[in-house]
Amino acid sequence: MSAQLEKPATDEVSKDTKPTQDADPNASKWVTDEEMTYYPLSRLRRVSVSHFRGKQLVNIREYYSDASGEIKPGRKGISLTVEQYEALKEAIPAIDRTLNL
């Protein structure tokens, strides 16, 4: 997931930013709805990129469907700084080996 992001004008939470669709074969899987741009991991789990207090964050969040069928963010989720995201990417080969992938 290669992302090229714009710097926010303020330190407030900005709308999620969609990565550029350069040579990334998965770029077409990014979804934009009326509220955000995200990469669906499953029906109710999403990854998005946002800005908060001048920092870029990679958000992995679980969503739920309310009584009316509207999809809403749940309480379960994590926001990774760029440094934490880079550490996770470095760990992926070891995780793959552990999972026998």
Side-chain angles (χ1 to χ4, degrees):
M1 175 167 68
S2 165
Q4 202 169 36
L5 305 171
E6 300 173 7
K7 184 161 175 76
T10 68
D11 282 346
E12 302 206 11
V13 177
S14 66
K15 291 220 175 197
D16 295 345
T17 306
K18 185 174 182 180
T20 58
Q21 294 186 8
D22 45 10
D24 185 355
N26 293 317
S28 63
K29 293 183 182 179
W30 284 90
V31 175
T32 301
D33 63 19
E34 56 279 344
E35 296 189 18
M36 66 186 298
T37 298
Y38 62 90
Y39 190 97
L41 297 176
S42 66
R43 184 173 148 329
L44 295 175
R45 289 199 176 113
R46 301 173 178 177
V47 173
S48 63
V49 177
S50 65
H51 300 275
F52 183 71
R53 296 188 181 182
K55 292 189 180 227
Q56 296 177 14
L57 299 171
V58 175
N59 308 296
I60 304 169
R61 178 137 318 267
E62 191 170 273
Y63 286 72
Y64 70 96
S65 181
D66 70 6
S68 69
E70 186 177 348
I71 303 294
K72 295 188 174 185
R75 293 190 296 169
K76 294 180 182 178
I78 186 169
S79 293
L80 303 174
T81 63
V82 173
E83 294 79 19
Q84 292 167 331
Y85 174 68
E86 290 293 334
L88 176 62
K89 286 189 341 183
E90 286 180 26
I92 295 295
I95 294 168
D96 285 350
R97 285 190 301 275
T98 301
L99 295 173
N100 296 316
L101 296 178

